[in-house]
Amino acid sequence: MEYDVVIGLEIHVQLKTRTKMFTAAPYHYGAEPNTLTDAVVLGLPGTLPVLNHAAIEACAKLGLMLGCEIAEVCKWDRKNYFYPDSPKNYQLTQNEEPLCLGGRVEIELPGPSRNVQGEHRTVRLNRIHLEEDPGKLSHEAFDTVIDFNRAGVPLAEIVTEPDLHSSEEAVAFLNALIQLIHYAGVSDCDMEKGQLRCDANVSLKPAGSEQLGTRTEMKNLNSISNVRAAIEYEIARQADLLDAGESITQETRRWNAEKGTSSSLRSKEEAHDYRYFPDPDLMPVRLVRARVAEMEAGLPERPFDKQRRFQEELGLPYTITSVLCPDPELSAFFEAALAVHHAPKAIANYIANDLLRELSASAAHGESALSITDCPLTPAHIAELAKLIEAGVITKQIGKEVFAAMYASGELPAAIVEKEGLEQSDNSDEVETLCREAIAGNAKAVAQFKEGNDKALNALKGPVMKATKGQANPATLDAILRKLIESEG
Amino acid sequence: MPELYHQTIAELSAALEAGSLSSVALTEAVIARTAAVEAKVQAFIHYDAEDALTQARASDERRAAGKALGPLEGIPLGIKDILAVEGQPLRCASKILDNFVSPYDATVIAKLRAAGAVLWGRLNMDEFAMGSSTENSAYVTTANPWDLERIPGGSSGGSAAALAAGEAIATIGTDTGGSIRQPAALCGVVGMKPTYGLVSRYGLVAFASSLDQAGPMSRTVEDAAILLQAMLGKDPLDSTSIAMPEVPDFRAELKTRKGPWKLGVPREFLAEGIDPEVKANIEAAIDWYRQQGSEIVDISLPHTHLSVPVYYIIATAEASSNLARFDGVRYGHRSAEANDALSLFTKSRGEGFGDEVKRRIILGTYVLSSGYYDAYYLRAQKVRTLIRRDFETAFEQVDAILSPTSPTPAFKRGERSDDPLAMYLSDIYTIAVNLAGLPALSLPSGLTSEGLPIGLQVIGKAFGEADLFAVAHAFEQAHDYHRQVAAI
Amino acid sequence: MTDNAHLDIDYVARLARIELNDAEKKKLGGQLVAILEHFEALKGVDVSEVEPTAHAHPVENIWREGDSAGSVYAPETLAKMAPESRDQQVVVPKVVE
């Protein structure tokens, strides 16, 4: 039987503040266990939470980037459940009145090939709210140990509408979301470090049916490939059950990445009774409209808007924009170079091809490519190089050498060209002398050219280029040869 | 002159300043008195004489160096076992916090240290401040110094009894539904609950966050004013703390604010369920104010009869969540029988909490549970608004409200311990004040024929502490109830 | 307001993570029903136009500015107060979700 798939995602993103959501204890990934705690983090008797304004601003910025409406007032609730990683055994969250409402994320579905742009569509968000991360459990042979460093890190929970219909769409959504978050600069979204975690709600219904099917919630999806695999597994599992005439149990399931299967964690009957109520320790936050407007005005261009602009206004091809635009630092590098010298295509090519190749080559073996922020070159290097070629100072051929030299030394291209004497020769006298020698030495080519074979001229250019070590300006050379042959009559 | 340990902060600080007394001598007198009577009173869960004397020596050195910190310099203050003092046990009279030592100071404690006070001992209380008799302590049973067979009131029963017995010069209590005022009334001392938000709650182990306030317990209104002056202030660590626009000098204002006042008497409070002797006593106090030229206004607080259900829904709901952190994971009692994550919680908490705490956590969990939230918690929060409005309306007409603090004097130990509802109803005059977030004070207004203290409650406007103190001070100074001492 | 017969003491005790023995359950159950009956008084109040009171003296926008790091505890502080610890981490019986 054919089914329509309905998927909604809940994504937890750690916001990149220096300190925690409700106390000034610092947080950074990878610290020794329990070195980033204080009385509030540990939930000691008598302690109280105080909001971190930086986290509110970061979440509001995220919300604006994702097209949400920023609430006039947001409030804080307690979600009560016992778990050893939860220092208070309640989580401070926003149940009734979240910070961000609605929202929409533009996604790109895979095209027919990698080089061809795919279809775009919009996924609606339900809300984004702020809450706190719990500590981290590690399961050892006979017991479990707890590190509370992570406890209290600000988390933005992004909840989508059930607008996704395949694992591919879910992956496309996550990719688009991560790009937007990177652009907003509010999280690094490193899934390996737990900075972004995804839960997926999946249900199936007979194709064309209006009636939603029973959904299951998949937890513990900590990489994009796990999201894809878990959703595909769940679609197949539910389809098999429905095909066999069985019903789907509403339940929470855990994905086991090693086995590539999921198993039931708890059914709806065992579901938590969270006893939400307004937190009496925190006061409501009123989002001042002027500040929201100011933040909105200061938002960066969204990556798909940037891509459209690069394609439409700068005439760059999809193959290049699809490399430049997903990464805010790469696109900023490009635009900074463009500001130095407006040669979009040449600069884009250098960045998307030469520079990225060098960055990946200079990464240590087995490591991922260096980021643009680790690059030894500045945007001015690339811009200047493009300018030298455009002005005819060096040839494209020499440009490759200059690129390698400046990547190795960090010197500016003009300095390299000068030091190495790489300028195209503008000594027309020398070139003219060499041209006369070439004409005298190859009567056959001259004859062929006179008969209308334009390409025969190349046989004359070769020796001149060779003699000038490539520094003859090709246009000048071409013009001199033609002039001399014509003047011969 | 009374014995040193029965004198007031005002008197003792004058002697300390004059050089006729040292903090060490005063602290030694308090320690000796405690050693003499503590076996009968059992006001303390813990005390450390050496630690107190070390603080007293430091105080004397400051004074000798000309760096005395104010009227609390060198004064031994007893602290309820619910306020965190760095390096001292913090158990809230509960087994579940057995062996827990606080690594930090409550803000109010840090302020008292900064004022030079000697922090003296951990005073007994009802477990997690849940009770009105201090019978719900997991450690000791505190007696009322006026009649050792009777309870001292609660939950700050240790704070009230220690003060009445001369085991401290003043004490700090906390009040969620009357826990400062009711034991103060039953032990014949002054107990003051500030406006909600005036004193930081950081380091006060939360029972019901929207109601809890720490406050002074003392021999006189003047001493309470001195203490509150040192305790109050907006705290960046407590989002619910509020800055008073202009903080008056309470002690100085006592002498300048002389009335007459317009004083409200809520007719609902002197109706039914009140002990006749208490009723006659309070009516006499009201008459005194009338004779002094104050206008007595008959007022109505029509929703206050709903205070008990509203309070017990809100307070238990908040408590069920506040006390979730006591789980045997990071600190406190862990059951030896715990063998998985679930039994770690259920057994540690089953063993660690006493009956009243269990009762309130279960009740609070129930009223918040799926399907009941709107009917109980949300509805209670709405009725709370009506109770607040009753007071707002009343305060349009009057400067302060007079009432009994407790419907009865101290009752006998064990008399109500099997009837939680009867116990809850004994808070009837005090809890509405917490629900409305107002300041109120209980001061001694006489003794019953059996020689048991009675307390007069004065309720003030929000942040109207200066008037509240002045109204109470006028009555106190015209009588000598505050000079009566329990004979132990 | 509610049907008190539905106070399922086992369910609520499990939610609250408190183990009760049979005697406690019986005693507590009876007391709670009496208390809940007292709560019925709220049923008669018209609160349709009334906002709930979350804070007695509400204010808005109370937060910490600056995002600058405060002090932290040495891991020994936690290790010392925890009933069981190993290598500066808190140890609990094996958690199987």
Side-chain angles (χ1 to χ4, degrees):
Chain A
M1 193 173 171
E2 288 294 306
Y3 299 101
D4 286 343
V5 176
V6 179
I7 302 167
L9 300 179
E10 289 169 19
I11 295 115
H12 288 90
V13 179
Q14 280 187 346
L15 296 177
K16 204 166 56 172
T17 52
R18 279 190 293 276
T19 64
K20 295 188 180 183
M21 183 70 230
F22 298 110
T23 177
Y27 178 72
H28 50 267
Y29 179 80
E32 288 297 310
N34 293 313
T35 54
L36 303 175
T37 76
D38 63 11
V40 176
V41 172
L42 296 178
L44 296 192
T47 55
L48 297 171
V50 178
L51 293 168
N52 179 356
H53 186 236
I56 295 165
E57 290 255 311
C59 188
K61 187 174 184 189
L62 172 64
L64 289 169
M65 198 67 187
L66 303 187
C68 302
E69 183 194 329
I70 305 301
E72 291 279 339
V73 173
C74 67
K75 294 184 179 171
W76 309 92
D77 299 294
R78 292 188 185 180
K79 179 180 183 179
N80 293 287
Y81 66 97
F82 283 84
Y83 210 65
D85 61 7
S86 171
K88 303 182 294 298
N89 287 314
Y90 61 80
Q91 183 188 35
L92 287 167
T93 182
Q94 302 188 291
N95 185 51
E96 288 290 323
E97 300 187 52
L99 179 56
C100 309
L101 308 162
R104 44 190 56 239
V105 171
E106 180 179 2
I107 69 169
E108 179 182 344
L109 301 175
S113 85
R114 265 193 65 198
N115 298 334
V116 181
Q117 187 156 348
E119 182 200 335
H120 282 220
R121 50 169 297 239
T122 297
V123 175
R124 291 169 305 149
L125 302 184
N126 176 279
R127 62 188 288 170
I128 306 175
H129 64 257
L130 261 173
E131 56 188 35
E132 55 180 336
D133 221 348
K136 194 174 189 327
L137 300 181
S138 303
H139 304 290
E140 308 210 328
F142 303 107
D143 51 28
T144 295
V145 299
I146 318 172
D147 172 11
F148 290 98
N149 280 350
R150 202 181 68 181
V153 171
L155 280 185
E157 180 173 339
I158 302 164
V159 182
T160 75
E161 294 293 349
D163 267 4
L164 300 158
H165 306 289
S166 66
S167 63
E168 274 180 346
E169 287 193 0
V171 169
F173 173 81
L174 282 175
N175 284 329
L177 180 71
I178 289 170
Q179 288 170 24
L180 285 162
I181 296 172
H182 280 160
Y183 267 84
V186 296
S187 175
D188 290 335
C189 298
D190 187 334
M191 292 182 82
E192 279 181 23
K193 293 179 181 169
Q195 291 165 349
L196 185 142
R197 279 118 55 190
C198 181
D199 301 340
N201 294 305
V202 178
S203 69
L204 265 54
K205 58 180 184 181
S209 163
E210 294 290 310
Q211 184 92 35
L212 281 175
T214 304
R215 68 189 170 91
T216 60
E217 184 180 16
M218 310 286 295
K219 291 250 180 210
N220 199 25
L221 308 178
N222 52 12
S223 73
I224 299 262
S225 59
N226 277 344
V227 172
R228 183 192 300 277
I231 290 174
E232 283 170 6
Y233 178 89
E234 185 58 15
I235 292 170
R237 190 187 72 86
Q238 289 190 19
D240 285 350
L241 284 172
L242 293 173
D243 284 345
E246 293 178 44
S247 62
I248 307 296
T249 309
Q250 184 171 344
E251 61 188 352
T252 302
R253 299 181 67 83
R254 189 220 323 262
W255 175 247
N256 184 323
E258 281 168 32
K259 292 184 188 159
T261 58
S262 67
S263 52
S264 181
L265 212 52
R266 56 178 172 265
S267 71
K268 190 192 174 191
E269 285 67 39
E270 306 161 45
H272 294 297
D273 182 343
Y274 288 123
R275 292 160 284 135
Y276 286 102
F277 74 104
D279 179 66
D281 293 327
L282 294 167
M283 295 297 190
V285 170
R286 181 172 297 275
L287 282 305
V288 179
R289 291 299 100 181
R291 176 65 190 138
V292 173
E294 186 187 1
M295 288 178 81
E296 191 156 26
L299 282 185
E301 188 178 22
R302 292 183 183 86
F304 282 132
D305 293 338
K306 196 179 281 293
Q307 186 171 21
R308 273 186 285 274
R309 181 166 63 84
F310 284 0
Q311 289 174 196
E312 286 159 18
E313 293 178 15
L314 303 179
L316 299 182
Y318 174 76
T319 48
I320 296 281
T321 59
S322 63
V323 173
L324 290 183
C325 294
D327 181 342
E329 273 142 9
L330 202 59
S331 64
F333 191 96
F334 167 71
E335 293 191 85
L338 215 56
V340 175
H341 178 65
H342 191 82
K345 285 185 182 166
I347 290 173
N349 267 310
Y350 270 118
I351 294 172
N353 297 317
D354 303 62
L355 183 57
L356 290 184
R357 187 177 54 243
E358 291 289 349
L359 285 173
S360 102
S362 43
H365 181 71
E367 299 276 308
S368 55
L370 292 184
S371 121
I372 191 78
T373 48
D374 306 319
C375 176
L377 301 182
T378 65
H381 282 94
I382 307 287
E384 202 177 286
L385 180 60
K387 194 174 180 180
L388 288 173
I389 294 168
E390 194 181 287
V393 179
I394 57 171
T395 61
K396 267 191 187 167
Q397 191 63 32
I398 294 295
K400 303 256 175 206
E401 280 177 48
V402 173
F403 185 90
M406 72 181 184
Y407 191 88
S409 69
E411 279 185 277
L412 281 166
I416 294 170
V417 167
E418 191 184 345
K419 194 165 71 183
E420 305 288 329
L422 298 174
E423 305 91 340
Q424 287 184 122
S425 174
D426 58 350
N427 188 342
S428 316
D429 291 349
E430 188 199 342
V431 174
E432 194 169 326
T433 310
L434 289 166
C435 285
R436 287 184 198 284
E437 285 169 18
I439 291 166
N442 196 341
K444 187 180 167 196
V446 174
Q448 282 171 346
F449 176 74
K450 283 182 174 169
E451 281 162 22
N453 182 355
D454 223 45
K455 281 186 181 164
L457 213 55
N458 289 343
L460 301 172
K461 287 178 184 171
V464 179
M465 274 299 189
K466 200 177 170 191
T468 60
K469 296 194 173 76
Q471 290 176 43
N473 185 318
T476 313
L477 172 57
D478 188 83
I480 291 173
L481 281 172
R482 286 175 196 276
K483 184 188 77 185
L484 290 175
I485 295 171
E486 274 168 33
S487 68
E488 274 184 357
Chain B
M1 277 299 263
E3 297 285 350
L4 277 182
Y5 50 76
H6 271 136
Q7 292 182 23
T8 66
I9 294 173
E11 289 158 354
L12 293 166
S13 70
L16 287 162
E17 204 168 315
S20 59
L21 177 67
S22 72
S23 175
V24 168
L26 173 59
T27 305
E28 278 172 345
V30 167
I31 291 168
R33 172 66 174 175
T34 304
V37 300
E38 180 60 5
K40 290 179 188 165
V41 181
Q42 299 200 83
F44 288 85
I45 291 178
H46 167 94
Y47 59 82
D48 181 342
E50 204 35 61
D51 173 62
L53 287 169
T54 303
Q55 295 178 59
R57 276 189 290 273
S59 168
D60 287 336
E61 282 164 21
R62 275 195 299 273
R63 195 180 292 280
K67 292 176 179 165
L69 295 166
L72 293 177
E73 179 67 78
I75 305 288
L77 300 179
I79 309 296
K80 187 179 182 181
D81 190 29
I82 199 169
L83 288 159
V85 176
E86 186 177 340
Q88 292 193 14
L90 173 59
R91 288 182 289 207
C92 301
S94 180
K95 285 285 177 216
I96 208 156
L97 279 173
D98 208 7
N99 295 324
F100 183 72
V101 174
S102 176
Y104 77 102
D105 268 346
T107 297
V108 65
I109 293 299
K111 282 174 172 283
L112 291 170
R113 273 193 211 277
V118 172
L119 305 175
W120 165 233
R122 309 293 302 161
L123 289 162
N124 197 27
M125 54 186 280
D126 284 300
E127 184 180 0
F128 288 107
M130 296 179 182
S132 308
S133 66
T134 313
E135 291 169 289
N136 301 327
S137 167
Y139 294 92
V140 291
T141 306
T142 301
N144 189 319
W146 294 84
D147 177 349
L148 298 174
E149 296 300 306
R150 292 179 189 264
I151 56 94
S155 67
S156 308
S159 300
L163 188 52
E167 298 175 278
I169 303 307
T171 59
I172 306 301
T174 62
D175 190 316
T176 305
S179 281
I180 287 175
R181 292 159 286 157
Q182 184 257 18
L186 271 43
C187 290
V189 297
V190 172
M192 195 267 172
K193 180 205 100 73
T195 304
Y196 182 82
L198 190 61
V199 173
S200 168
R201 291 186 298 114
Y202 188 78
L204 188 181
V205 181
F207 157 20
S209 313
S210 72
L211 304 166
D212 298 338
Q213 274 286 286
M217 302 177 78
S218 56
R219 305 196 192 290
T220 61
V221 174
E222 183 180 20
D223 281 6
I226 292 169
L227 283 163
L228 182 65
Q229 198 88 46
M231 293 167 74
L232 62 77
K234 178 159 176 59
D235 180 7
L237 298 178
D238 175 3
S239 309
T240 63
S241 73
I242 297 173
M244 221 183 215
E246 269 176 70
V247 183
D249 180 341
F250 296 129
R251 193 181 180 183
E253 302 268 324
L254 282 182
K255 282 136 198 163
T256 56
R257 301 193 187 209
K258 286 186 179 295
W261 296 282
K262 285 176 89 174
L263 301 172
V265 176
R267 67 182 79 100
E268 293 86 357
F269 282 19
L270 288 170
E272 51 193 280
I274 183 167
D275 178 283
E277 274 196 89
V278 172
K279 186 174 178 181
N281 174 279
I282 299 305
E283 283 171 343
I286 293 165
D287 274 343
W288 180 85
Y289 280 105
R290 187 182 285 119
Q291 284 157 22
Q292 296 303 305
S294 288
E295 183 186 344
I296 303 300
V297 183
D298 179 33
I299 59 165
S300 175
L301 300 169
H303 295 95
T304 47
H305 71 284
L306 299 168
S307 295
V308 170
V310 168
Y311 174 82
Y312 279 93
I313 289 169
I314 293 172
T316 60
E318 292 181 6
S320 73
S321 177
N322 285 331
L323 271 63
R325 68 186 63 195
F326 305 107
D327 60 0
V329 174
R330 287 148 289 117
Y331 51 80
H333 173 75
R334 180 184 291 188
S335 171
E337 314 285 313
N339 51 21
D340 58 22
L342 183 64
S343 65
L344 170 66
F345 292 138
T346 56
K347 288 185 187 293
S348 299
R349 289 162 63 79
E351 294 167 11
F353 289 135
D355 286 349
E356 182 62 24
V357 173
K358 287 180 188 171
R359 184 153 48 228
R360 296 203 194 183
I361 291 176
I362 298 280
L363 184 57
T365 302
Y366 173 74
V367 299
L368 288 176
S369 66
S370 180
Y372 298 104
Y373 176 83
D374 287 359
Y376 288 117
Y377 190 79
L378 186 61
R379 195 172 189 85
Q381 292 282 52
K382 289 179 175 177
V383 178
R384 184 178 178 182
T385 303
L386 298 175
I387 292 168
R388 260 177 61 198
R389 284 187 197 158
D390 283 357
F391 279 103
E392 281 168 16
T393 308
F395 277 119
E396 286 169 10
Q397 304 175 63
V398 300
D399 302 310
I401 294 171
L402 303 177
S403 86
T405 305
S406 166
T408 65
F411 48 89
K412 292 232 164 92
R413 200 178 284 166
E415 199 176 287
R416 296 184 193 170
S417 46
D418 257 352
D419 188 354
L421 191 55
M423 191 77 97
Y424 296 172
L425 290 170
S426 71
D427 299 333
I428 192 136
Y429 302 131
T430 49
I431 57 181
V433 172
N434 298 75
L435 292 170
L438 301 173
L441 181 152
S442 177
L443 75 159
S445 56
L447 299 176
T448 65
S449 53
E450 285 183 284
L452 297 172
I454 300 171
L456 168 68
Q457 178 174 238
V458 187
I459 305 168
K461 294 179 182 176
F463 302 101
E465 271 78 359
D467 281 326
L468 176 63
F469 283 135
V471 170
H473 180 73
F475 180 87
E476 177 193 79
Q477 293 303 306
H479 300 80
D480 65 353
Y481 303 128
H482 63 291
R483 284 291 176 201
Q484 293 177 330
V485 167
I488 304 175
Chain C
M1 186 187 304
T2 47
D3 183 353
N4 292 330
H6 282 130
L7 198 162
D8 178 347
I9 190 91
D10 289 311
Y11 173 75
V12 180
R14 190 186 148 91
L15 263 187
R17 296 292 189 273
I18 294 178
E19 187 173 277
L20 298 174
N21 61 36
D22 288 344
E24 282 178 311
K25 277 182 207 167
K26 192 155 179 266
K27 188 173 165 190
L28 209 57
Q31 289 170 334
L32 292 178
V33 166
I35 294 166
L36 290 172
E37 271 164 20
H38 185 74
F39 289 178
E40 292 291 302
L42 296 186
K43 201 176 175 180
V45 188
D46 179 8
V47 290
S48 52
E49 303 292 316
V50 183
E51 284 294 309
T53 291
H55 296 102
H57 309 295
V59 282
E60 291 171 342
N61 294 2
I62 305 297
W63 52 47
R64 172 172 54 90
E65 297 273 7
D67 197 23
S68 52
S71 58
V72 292
Y73 282 156
E76 293 77 17
T77 304
L78 174 60
K80 229 172 95 186
M81 68 173 70
E84 197 184 342
S85 69
R86 184 170 66 239
D87 300 335
Q88 317 292 21
Q89 300 211 63
V90 175
V91 177
V92 292
K94 197 164 175 80
V95 176
V96 205
E97 210 196 5

